Amino acid sequence: MKGNEQVIATLNTLLADELTAINQYIVHSEMCANWGYGKLHDAVEARAITEMRHAEKLIERLLFLEGRPIVSQLNPMHIGADVVAQFRDDLDAETNAVRLYNEAVQLASEQRDNGTRVILESILHDEEAHLDWLETQLDQIEQMGLAPYLVEQVG
């Protein structure tokens, strides 16, 4: 099925965002593992895997719409030097993702591409959950302090 060129371009923009997030989150995950924060490693790695699934869905949709998935384009990555910096960098990435997905949902609706809209809404839901998790972690650090928070992440 030949898709709308603007929708295809938007899907490729989202794909670049997802591929960037995968790389950023994997680095953050491995840094947490290196520091001995096993619970954080697992949580961040799970988020990276979810982003991989998002990329897969976008690639599938691009191919269905007879577009060409561009997998060689990444956005600048922001690698935090410590856990708080990582959370803030990831929060910025997720905030941007939520904005981009909201805009993409609107575009798909305007173009009457409801199949794409449904896929984008599903991914948007996941991105909002990621955003909420990151906000919760930063709130916990603020409320209990960094050291007690990090003690809970060992394992």
Side-chain angles (χ1 to χ4, degrees), residues 25 47 51 87 90-98 123-141 149:
Y25 299 166
R47 193 162 21 102
E51 303 297 4
F87 285 163
D90 292 356
L91 184 70
D92 289 344
E94 293 295 343
T95 299
N96 187 56
V98 167
I123 296 172
L124 173 62
H125 178 74
D126 290 343
E127 301 296 1
E128 289 175 338
H130 295 167
L131 185 64
D132 184 55
W133 185 86
L134 287 160
E135 288 173 339
T136 299
Q137 303 317 297
L138 288 167
D139 285 346
Q140 288 179 357
I141 290 168
Y149 174 84

Side-chain angles (χ1 to χ4, degrees), residues 20-149:
T20 303
I22 292 164
N23 286 287
Q24 181 171 316
Y25 299 166
I26 287 294
V27 172
H28 284 169
S29 171
E30 291 306 315
M31 289 171 74
C32 287
N34 186 57
W35 295 328
Y37 303 132
K39 291 178 184 177
L40 278 182
H41 167 266
D42 293 346
V44 178
E45 182 181 62
R47 193 162 21 102
I49 291 168
T50 301
E51 303 297 4
M52 287 179 208
R53 290 189 184 110
H54 295 166
E56 181 181 30
K57 288 179 184 179
L58 294 171
I59 290 168
E60 288 172 354
R61 191 62 183 177
L62 280 158
L63 292 170
F64 177 78
L65 296 175
E66 299 179 23
R68 184 174 61 93
I70 300 170
V71 296
S72 58
Q73 183 174 337
L74 294 177
N75 300 325
M77 276 179 265
H78 303 281
I79 305 302
D82 57 48
V83 170
V84 173
Q86 289 178 359
F87 285 163
R88 288 189 178 131
D89 290 341
D90 292 356
L91 184 70
D92 289 344
E94 293 295 343
T95 299
N96 187 56
V98 167
R99 181 185 60 77
L100 290 174
Y101 276 101
N102 274 305
E103 291 171 0
V105 166
Q106 183 177 352
L107 173 65
S109 293
E110 289 168 359
Q111 296 301 319
R112 298 179 186 250
D113 184 347
N114 291 314
T116 298
R117 180 188 52 78
V118 168
I119 292 166
L120 296 173
E121 287 174 340
S122 170
I123 296 172
L124 173 62
H125 178 74
D126 290 343
E127 301 296 1
E128 289 175 338
H130 295 167
L131 185 64
D132 184 55
W133 185 86
L134 287 160
E135 288 173 339
T136 299
Q137 303 317 297
L138 288 167
D139 285 346
Q140 288 179 357
I141 290 168
E142 184 178 325
Q143 291 171 18
M144 69 174 74
L146 181 59
Y149 174 84

